[in-house]
Amino acid sequence: MGGFTSIVPMAASVLQTGQRISADQANTQSRINQGEAARKADLAEIEAREREDAAQRAEDLRRRQATIRARQGASGLMAGGSGSASAVLAGYEKAARQDGDLAADATARRRTRINQQAAWREKSLLRSSQDDTVARLNAWFSKRDGWG
């Protein structure tokens, strides 16, 4: 039957192979956890950047509106041109909404890309771990049966 003539070397070999497999699985899980932490950090960074950009857009809109209202107050009262200022204000608001929508779409794409990459890395790590486990078990059985 092969290379193992007593139970002691076989038991030692089984124990050693099991320990290697267990260590590899623990290492894989640790790498998966690190990847998950990195994914969460990237998503948190995107959220913070999105809030900062939204606040900046709101501040820019507020400044533009204040400038138009000040100009309207200075010149519009005498000329009666309040309609054009209202149209400009509405245009600024519409542009700010469109910029916000574009930024939200870009942020959603970045989130999706980060999540897809993290899922791919996790799947790849799990497949590598499974392949390594199968290879170790095949090597052990080959050695046991005297083939290797």
Side-chain angles (χ1 to χ4, degrees):
M1 267 251 154
F4 291 108
T5 56
S6 77
I7 192 78
V8 174
M10 186 170 72
S13 178
V14 166
L15 180 63
Q16 186 180 26
T17 300
Q19 288 173 337
R20 284 185 193 151
I21 290 170
S22 179
D24 286 345
Q25 288 174 343
N27 183 30
T28 299
Q29 188 59 47
S30 173
R31 291 174 64 192
I32 288 172
N33 292 342
Q34 288 172 349
E36 180 65 15
R39 181 187 73 83
K40 287 181 180 178
D42 289 344
L43 291 176
E45 180 183 335
I46 287 172
E47 290 293 326
R49 193 175 319 133
E50 183 179 25
R51 282 192 302 272
E52 185 178 305
D53 290 347
Q56 183 63 40
R57 280 191 304 276
E59 180 63 22
D60 288 346
L61 176 62
R62 187 195 62 74
R63 266 191 255 125
R64 285 179 176 173
Q65 288 174 334
T67 302
I68 291 296
R69 286 186 181 122
R71 287 181 189 159
Q72 179 187 12
S75 64
L77 291 178
M78 296 206 178
S82 64
S84 63
S86 296
V88 170
L89 289 173
Y92 284 158
E93 289 173 5
K94 181 179 178 184
R97 277 194 309 275
Q98 288 173 343
D99 289 346
D101 291 345
L102 290 173
D105 291 345
T107 300
R109 285 191 303 276
R110 284 192 300 267
R111 276 192 207 108
T112 300
R113 187 180 68 242
I114 287 170
N115 288 330
Q116 287 173 341
Q117 289 172 345
W120 181 87
R121 280 191 301 268
E122 182 176 344
K123 186 182 282 187
S124 177
L125 284 169
L126 289 173
R127 282 184 182 158
S128 296
S129 177
Q130 289 170 347
D131 291 347
D132 186 57
T133 299
V134 169
R136 286 186 190 276
L137 290 173
N138 284 337
W140 184 85
F141 280 113
S142 294
K143 186 176 178 183
R144 183 198 71 179
D145 295 340
W147 296 343

